[in-house]
Amino acid sequence: MAAVLSAAALLSLVLSAMPGNPARADVVVNNISVGEGASNIVVNPVTNTVYVTTNDGLTIINGRTQATAKVKTGGVPADLALNIATNKIYVSNKGGEASGTVAVIDGSTHAVTQVSVGPDPYAIAVNQTTNKIYVGGRAGLSVIDGKTNASTTINTDWVTQVAINQATNRVYVLANGVKVINGATNSVTQIDMGSSVAWPTNLAVNQVTNKVYIASRVRNYMELEVLDGASNQVQPIYSDLNSSPAGLAVDETNNRVYLGRTLLGDGTLSSLTGVLSVFGGEGGGPIDIRTGETPEKIAVNGKTNKVYLGGNYLGVKVIDGTTFALSTLFVKSGTAIAVNDATNRIYVAKWAGTVAVIDGRIPSQLKNDFSGDRKTDLLARDMSGLLWLYPGNGAAGWQPRTQVGSAWNSMTAVVSPGDFSGDTKPDVLARDGAGHLWMYPGNGAGGWLPRVHVGSGWNAISAIVTPGDFNGDGTSDILARDTSGILWLYPGDGRGDWLPRTNLGAGWNALTAIVGTGDFDSNGTPGVLARDGSGLLWLYSGDGTGGWWGNRKQVGQGWNPMTAIVAPGDFNGDGRPDIMARDSSGALFLYPSASGGAWLPTVRIGQGWNSMTAIL
């Protein structure tokens, strides 16, 4: 039926497919305007304040009220860092009138002091224990005394990244290789990487274990190595001939290393070949999780054991560090991510000029959680018109069914769009024989509120598809194919009504089944699965704005024996949307999805389902 997973791909996904019921939280609760060019972001958890660099300076966000204030840094910002102990913010100016300086901003008064550090300053890091600020740039490494603002320069070659171990007072920089600076004496030690052609791209420090992790490109492959902070000796952890390193982060609380990679494939970099590799802090692993877009930005909340991934174009991925389940938040074009672990809020800077606020405490909505127990359910209509709720148990099984309706055999189509009315509870849309479309608002406890008329003339529609938020405006939408084969997007307005429809293309009458999958291929946007007349199954990836991403992709064959294909959401509790299919004998199968648009092994989950005339 489904496309067969390669042995290597299946092995790398074993742990990410573990059953369970991951903590489903993380909801985008606000988008704050900060100015164009939002590129770097830090959080002060003590004052609950967020700082974002933009083209024209620094925007300060009050984490409690979401109010903003602007501070001119005197130039075009390149990077920023924060000293929580002194409540001072440091912004390197790469251009403008104050080019070659660091703006020192008082977190209380917002007063600005300029400190000269030389041409093209870029990376900044702060040692809060010694109150020293390290600024990397073309001139080398500048050291600012946080008390006096006096600046000195260490000759290290051009510095592109700075990382600090405050426990040992050691500074690690990327500058023609990796160099270690003694914070007390400013002496410099060049690290022997074991290869003259290694090009280190990222550093990450675990202060608890005194280890430094280094991601490098080495000719035609990549390598991850660990530097022992006591001996300065380097040991290889992992290498791969078919990928390139991207983001790198350390979770000190759980002693893990997260490495973003781009699979090279045929030698071209594709935005849909991203992988997050998870390593134990002592080198165990990796566990590979397909992420769609390459994880360029990685932020960790050690308290909740969650990892947040950002790329350049698509959504923010959330990885549960316990189950390795992946979910997607439709926050596009994130340039930087910061976590306030005191409030469990995550902030995503977007180049276009906003900061998305993610609340890690709010449970995310589940498309088919009709009973309100945080598990995905199924609805089915039998031949007598009774509607049954089959509550899922969160692990690919069932709890006892309950009757939730009668006389539903008058409906010629029944679908589950998720929350269509805007009350955070999943609803049902049903079309009667006269072509009227009705919304049955769910009450969140397995029952219904009074139905509402939401359309007429729907008897001209031959298929109704529920992909989720297809146009990226935060509300559930509907796709509908008319009798001529045109597929239409009917955007929901979030209040149980419609915005103007748009044409998504013709020729869809060649498809014998169309279902909305949610984010099936982990590209950050909902998509559609469609079966053609020969039984091939195709994935049409949405672009998040109401259109399609690239060309369709074949993801299965032999699906013509299936009499129903359903996409209820995540049924097995691994954080990814799944597919159910009924064959002609009445057997019901679960096709668990693997991140990246692949499948895990099929599971039979029921028999006797041929008595059902609708499954949703």
Side-chain angles (χ1 to χ4, degrees):
M1 285 293 176
V4 178
L5 218 59
S6 70
L10 183 59
L11 179 62
S12 70
L13 287 163
V14 167
L15 285 180
S16 65
M18 291 167 50
N21 208 19
R24 298 183 186 279
D26 300 308
V27 173
V28 179
V29 294
N30 202 358
N31 278 282
I32 303 171
S33 179
V34 295
E36 291 186 359
S39 54
N40 298 286
I41 189 165
V42 295
V43 173
N44 188 333
V46 175
T47 63
N48 193 12
T49 308
V50 185
Y51 301 93
V52 190
T53 56
T54 63
N55 287 342
D56 60 354
L58 183 73
T59 299
I60 302 172
I61 303 172
N62 184 311
R64 182 178 61 84
T65 67
Q66 315 288 285
T68 62
K70 297 288 291 187
V71 174
K72 298 291 185 180
T73 64
V76 179
D79 197 10
L80 84 161
L82 168 71
N83 189 331
I84 296 173
T86 63
N87 194 20
K88 288 187 176 180
I89 305 93
Y90 299 87
V91 179
S92 56
N93 288 312
K94 63 182 178 181
E97 293 182 1
S99 177
T101 68
V102 168
V104 183
I105 297 106
D106 187 291
S108 299
T109 66
H110 298 174
V112 179
T113 303
Q114 302 290 350
V115 178
S116 179
V117 293
D120 298 318
Y122 182 67
I124 300 184
V126 172
N127 188 329
Q128 299 183 81
T129 303
T130 63
N131 195 14
K132 288 185 177 180
I133 301 87
Y134 295 87
V135 186
R138 182 154 58 94
L141 185 69
S142 297
V143 185
I144 300 174
D145 186 301
K147 184 176 181 180
T148 66
N149 284 339
S151 173
T152 59
T153 299
I154 303 173
N155 184 12
T156 58
D157 297 314
W158 195 322
V159 174
T160 58
Q161 188 178 348
V162 182
I164 298 175
N165 187 333
Q166 298 182 103
T168 62
N169 196 14
R170 293 293 185 271
V171 183
Y172 300 87
V173 300
L174 294 184
N176 192 20
V178 178
K179 294 179 171 64
V180 184
I181 291 88
N182 184 313
T185 66
N186 286 348
S187 61
V188 180
T189 301
Q190 180 79 44
I191 298 299
D192 181 6
M193 298 294 296
S195 172
S196 61
V197 293
W199 178 24
T201 60
N202 274 300
L203 295 172
V205 174
N206 189 330
Q207 300 179 114
V208 176
T209 61
N210 194 16
K211 299 287 179 65
V212 184
Y213 298 90
I214 307 165
S216 301
R217 294 189 183 96
V218 187
R219 287 184 177 166
N220 61 340
Y221 67 95
M222 65 134 295
E223 193 163 65
L224 180 66
E225 297 170 295
V226 59
L227 168 66
D228 185 282
S231 66
N232 283 342
Q233 297 299 304
V234 175
Q235 295 293 330
I237 294 178
Y238 175 78
S239 63
D240 185 63
L241 291 173
N242 299 307
S243 64
S244 178
L248 181 66
V250 165
D251 180 353
E252 293 182 336
T253 303
N254 300 287
N255 194 20
R256 283 205 179 130
V257 183
Y258 295 93
L259 171 67
R261 298 189 291 126
T262 299
L263 301 182
L264 299 179
D266 60 0
T268 61
L269 299 183
S270 167
S271 63
L272 298 180
T273 55
V275 172
L276 181 72
S277 296
V278 186
F279 300 84
E282 302 306 317
I287 298 164
D288 287 339
I289 304 170
R290 294 294 293 268
T291 58
E293 190 178 12
T294 298
E296 298 284 350
K297 310 294 187 295
I298 304 175
V300 175
N301 187 337
K303 289 184 178 179
T304 63
N305 197 13
K306 287 187 177 179
V307 186
Y308 299 85
L309 314 177
N312 293 320
Y313 305 105
L314 303 177
V316 170
K317 304 294 190 303
V318 185
I319 306 292
D320 187 304
T322 301
T323 64
F324 300 103
L326 178 148
S327 56
T328 303
L329 299 174
F330 303 131
V331 180
K332 295 178 289 185
S333 302
T335 56
I337 306 175
V339 173
N340 187 339
D341 57 10
T343 63
N344 197 9
R345 285 204 164 190
I346 301 89
Y347 299 88
V348 183
K350 295 186 286 183
W351 185 260
T354 61
V355 168
V357 183
I358 300 167
D359 195 322
R361 302 166 300 176
I362 300 177
S364 54
Q365 297 178 26
L366 299 181
K367 178 186 177 186
N368 268 35
D369 177 23
F370 295 102
S371 59
D373 62 356
R374 306 297 304 155
K375 300 177 179 66
T376 297
D377 309 319
L378 210 64
L379 291 173
R381 179 187 63 189
D382 66 22
M383 293 181 180
S384 67
L386 297 180
L387 191 66
W388 297 92
L389 171 66
Y390 288 79
N393 65 7
W398 310 99
Q399 302 177 50
R401 74 175 187 174
T402 58
Q403 183 183 332
V404 293
S406 59
W408 281 72
N409 44 11
S410 63
M411 297 299 174
T412 59
V414 188
V415 297
S416 54
D419 173 28
F420 191 70
S421 63
D423 64 357
T424 74
K425 300 176 180 65
D427 308 313
V428 163
L429 293 176
R431 179 186 62 193
D432 64 23
H436 294 290
L437 193 66
W438 300 89
M439 175 177 67
Y440 289 78
N443 66 5
W448 313 104
L449 302 174
R451 73 177 188 173
V452 180
H453 186 260
V454 293
S456 58
W458 282 73
N459 43 12
I461 300 299
S462 60
I464 303 175
V465 185
T466 55
D469 178 17
F470 192 73
N471 63 358
D473 65 356
T475 61
S476 294
D477 306 315
I478 301 297
L479 305 182
R481 179 186 64 190
D482 65 22
T483 52
S484 70
I486 296 176
L487 190 67
W488 298 90
L489 167 64
Y490 287 79
D493 69 353
R495 300 183 300 276
D497 208 344
W498 311 97
L499 300 173
R501 72 176 188 175
T502 58
N503 188 327
L504 294 182
W508 286 79
N509 45 11
L511 283 310
T512 59
I514 311 172
V515 295
T517 62
D519 183 18
F520 185 76
D521 57 359
S522 308
N523 77 338
T525 59
V528 165
L529 284 176
R531 178 186 63 191
D532 66 20
S534 64
L536 298 179
L537 196 64
W538 299 91
L539 173 64
Y540 295 79
S541 296
D543 66 2
T545 63
W548 305 108
W549 176 273
N551 298 320
R552 69 178 186 174
K553 171 187 174 184
Q554 183 184 331
V555 293
Q557 58 186 352
W559 282 72
N560 36 14
M562 293 301 174
T563 59
I565 303 174
V566 188
D570 173 25
F571 189 68
N572 63 0
D574 67 357
R576 292 185 294 270
D578 304 314
I579 301 297
M580 293 180 184
R582 178 188 63 190
D583 66 17
S584 55
S585 74
L588 190 66
F589 295 91
L590 174 68
Y591 290 81
S593 71
S595 57
W599 305 92
L600 297 172
T602 306
V603 181
R604 183 195 295 264
I605 57 174
Q607 191 67 46
W609 284 76
N610 44 10
S611 63
M612 297 300 172
T613 59
I615 306 173
L616 57 146

